[in-house]
Amino acid sequence: MADDSFIREVNEELRSEQMKSIWRRFGPILMGGAVALVLGTAGMVGYQHWSDSRASASGDKFLAALDLAAEGKNDEALAALDDLEKTGYGSYPVLARLRAAAVLAEKGDAAAAVAAFDKVAADNGVPSQLRDVARLRAAYLLVDSGSYEDVASRVETLSADGHPMRGSAREALGLAAWKAGRFDDAFKLFDQLANDNLVPANIRQRANTMLDLMRGAGVAAQG
């Protein structure tokens, strides 16, 4: 029995020494991993909080700029949007550029507005959907201040079958064609819009109005 007790004590001591040896070898690594996990988690939470705070602050600045524009304080709105473009977070700098271009149009400076929209449309760092929006906005302005070719160069690719923005693109092209005296082209575009059930209802309604106007003016076939 004494021998058995002695053997157990020796085995326990050996196991203890083995654990100590393993801990000496791998303990710092395990502790380091645990610390890294804690720091990583804390870092992710901290970054999310920082990101949310910046996005919230940028959103507040954007809304304030919109309020200035709505009040007709265009110069102040442009200054606020310029600051947001430089210091904003997330998508707000791009939104600020688009809204600033719209404010320029509201001020009556169509050329500057078109140039601003064109700059956004040409920026490969901007999401493609927003670049398409910029092309459309420039095209609508150019219906009044430019030629059919000016409008077409910006939105003809957006007018293709299946493109989600084809309704607005075809409307801009149709209006530009009407203004340029290209009545056959205008009629075709408005007819496409009037019969496209996937186009927003307000665009279809305007297309039908233009078709009626063209027929009444005798520049399009009746029926």
Side-chain angles (χ1 to χ4, degrees), residues 19-91:
M19 289 299 296
K20 290 177 182 177
S21 176
I22 290 171
W23 181 254
R24 282 194 294 270
R25 291 180 60 190
F26 299 109
I29 296 174
L30 296 173
M31 287 295 292
V35 171
L37 179 61
V38 172
L39 292 177
T41 302
M44 288 177 63
V45 172
Y47 174 79
Q48 187 63 48
H49 176 72
W50 173 80
S51 178
D52 291 344
S53 296
R54 289 196 66 190
S56 178
S58 292
D60 290 343
K61 288 183 178 180
F62 186 66
L63 290 175
L66 295 184
D67 288 340
L68 289 170
E71 294 167 6
K73 300 176 181 178
N74 292 325
D75 291 335
E76 293 177 44
L78 287 171
L81 291 166
D82 181 65
D83 176 68
L84 185 57
E85 179 186 343
K86 295 173 182 175
T87 64
Y89 182 73
S91 61

Side-chain angles (χ1 to χ4, degrees), residues 198-219:
L198 296 180
V199 166
N202 59 328
I203 294 180
R204 294 202 310 272
Q205 183 178 5
R206 291 197 296 268
N208 277 308
T209 298
M210 288 301 301
L211 290 171
D212 290 341
L213 178 64
M214 294 177 71
R215 293 185 183 107
V219 294

Side-chain angles (χ1 to χ4, degrees), residues 104-116:
L104 289 171
E106 291 162 10
K107 287 184 66 177
D109 194 346
V114 168

Side-chain angles (χ1 to χ4, degrees), residues 114 118 132 134-159 168-180 182 189:
V114 168
D118 283 347
D132 288 346
R135 292 187 182 95
L136 280 171
R137 294 300 303 273
Y140 273 112
L141 287 171
L142 288 166
V143 168
D144 288 329
S145 61
S147 66
Y148 175 84
E149 288 72 23
D150 290 331
V151 175
S153 68
R154 287 162 176 82
V155 296
E156 198 161 40
T157 57
L158 307 183
S159 69
S168 296
R170 287 175 179 174
E171 182 176 48
L173 285 169
L175 292 170
W178 162 263
K179 179 189 170 190
R182 299 173 59 156
L189 287 159

Side-chain angles (χ1 to χ4, degrees), residues 179-195:
K179 179 189 170 190
R182 299 173 59 156
F183 300 124
D184 288 344
D185 291 335
F187 186 88
K188 178 181 178 181
L189 287 159
F190 290 128
D191 190 57
Q192 286 176 334
L193 288 172
N195 291 288

